[in-house]
Amino acid sequence: DQQVKQNSPSLSVQEGRISILNCDYTNSMFDYFLWYKKYPAEGPTFLISISSIKDKNEDGRFTVFLNKSAKHLSLHIVPSQPGDSAVYFCAASAKNSGYALNFGKGTSLLVTP
Amino acid sequence: ETGVTQTPRHLVMGMTNKKSLKCEQHLGHNAMYWYKQSAKKPLELMFVYSLEERVENNSVPSRFSPECPNSSHLFLHLHTLQPEDSALYLCASSQDPRGGSHYGYTFGSGTRLTVV
């Protein structure tokens, strides 16, 4: 049973515009959320995270928003750049579940010039 | 060398072969993981080692056998695999999250495995 869902397999955005990637989760025990970025032939790299005690975390062009009541988080990239084209994975973990990072299937973002 | 290094990058093996995947981390982390990424599926956790002890095994078939000789090295021994085992196998490391803090993983580049 998939606990982290990324329902959009792909997204295309024009350079300079905002990219919004969405993620939904089902486990209310999740208390930490992360976004990873993956280029072809490379492993995922950590991008940004948010704790459940916050509803927003910002790092440069990247902002993650968390809506706990809706069990939804989103990653905003503003402004989008062609180098942002990659697969973005949402992940979540619960402090009482030990190690597992639960990943979504990923969303492939294409930023066009 | 820094980060998490996986070898080989690509591997093609027959169903009767025995091969091993290697992972090495130079980050001083004390937990290491094997993940499997199949097409159109989320990353699946296979094994977790902390301080060289296996602490989690997500019901992985016995044809996959992990080994963690020290905190910097992790192996995945493969034998009599099936074509459906073809996937990207990712190694990751982190600080042990059991201390109550969350740490993101650092991933290697993965081994692309094809079973023929």
Side-chain angles (χ1 to χ4, degrees):
Chain A
D1 184 31
Q2 200 175 333
Q3 300 183 70
V4 177
K5 299 176 184 178
Q6 292 177 258
N7 292 319
S8 297
S10 63
L11 175 68
S12 183
V13 172
Q14 211 166 14
E15 182 178 7
R17 302 285 186 115
I18 183 171
S19 295
I20 301 177
L21 296 99
N22 293 305
C23 178
D24 297 293
Y25 62 95
T26 58
N27 188 343
S28 57
M29 298 303 293
F30 286 149
D31 57 0
Y32 199 69
F33 304 88
L34 308 92
W35 284 95
Y36 281 82
K37 177 179 178 180
K38 184 180 184 300
Y39 292 116
E42 295 183 14
T45 55
F46 171 73
L47 189 60
I48 192 170
S49 63
I50 188 167
S51 166
S52 60
I53 61 173
K54 294 186 174 182
D55 55 17
K56 178 183 173 181
N57 188 25
E58 196 170 350
D59 184 2
R61 296 185 298 114
F62 302 91
T63 303
V64 56
F65 295 92
L66 176 62
N67 182 335
K68 287 193 294 285
S69 60
K71 294 192 179 69
H72 177 84
L73 67 155
S74 60
L75 174 68
H76 293 211
I77 308 174
V78 182
S80 301
Q81 299 173 353
D84 296 329
S85 298
V87 177
Y88 290 79
F89 291 96
C90 173
S93 69
K95 193 179 282 190
N96 65 356
S97 69
Y99 293 83
L101 269 186
N102 296 270
F103 285 87
K105 290 184 181 181
T107 297
S108 179
L109 173 66
L110 176 65
V111 180
T112 57
Chain B
E1 192 172 348
T2 58
V4 179
T5 305
Q6 287 187 246
T7 54
R9 292 296 302 272
H10 300 272
L11 178 63
V12 179
M13 60 185 288
M15 289 190 284
T16 58
N17 290 159
K18 288 185 180 181
K19 296 286 184 184
S20 295
L21 310 185
K22 180 182 175 182
C23 177
E24 189 172 355
Q25 60 97 1
H26 304 272
L27 299 166
H29 289 163
N30 54 18
M32 296 185 78
Y33 313 80
W34 280 116
Y35 272 84
K36 175 183 178 183
Q37 186 183 20
S38 304
K40 299 182 181 179
K41 285 188 177 182
L43 286 162
E44 300 171 61
L45 178 64
M46 299 177 72
F47 298 102
V48 180
Y49 275 83
S50 176
L51 300 172
E52 302 147 47
E53 281 188 34
R54 189 192 302 182
V55 295
E56 192 162 329
N57 172 357
N58 279 12
S59 303
V60 178
S62 60
R63 56 186 184 269
F64 296 91
S65 175
E67 179 190 0
C68 187
N70 56 60
S71 60
S72 299
H73 294 87
L74 184 65
F75 296 90
L76 188 62
H77 304 298
L78 316 170
H79 63 98
T80 60
L81 295 192
Q82 306 297 313
E84 58 264 29
D85 296 321
S86 298
L88 179 68
Y89 288 84
L90 289 160
C91 173
S93 70
S94 76
Q95 287 302 107
D96 188 334
R98 290 182 295 180
S101 298
H102 287 282
Y103 297 94
Y105 298 172
T106 301
F107 282 91
S109 297
T111 294
R112 174 68 62 185
L113 174 67
T114 303
V115 181
V116 297

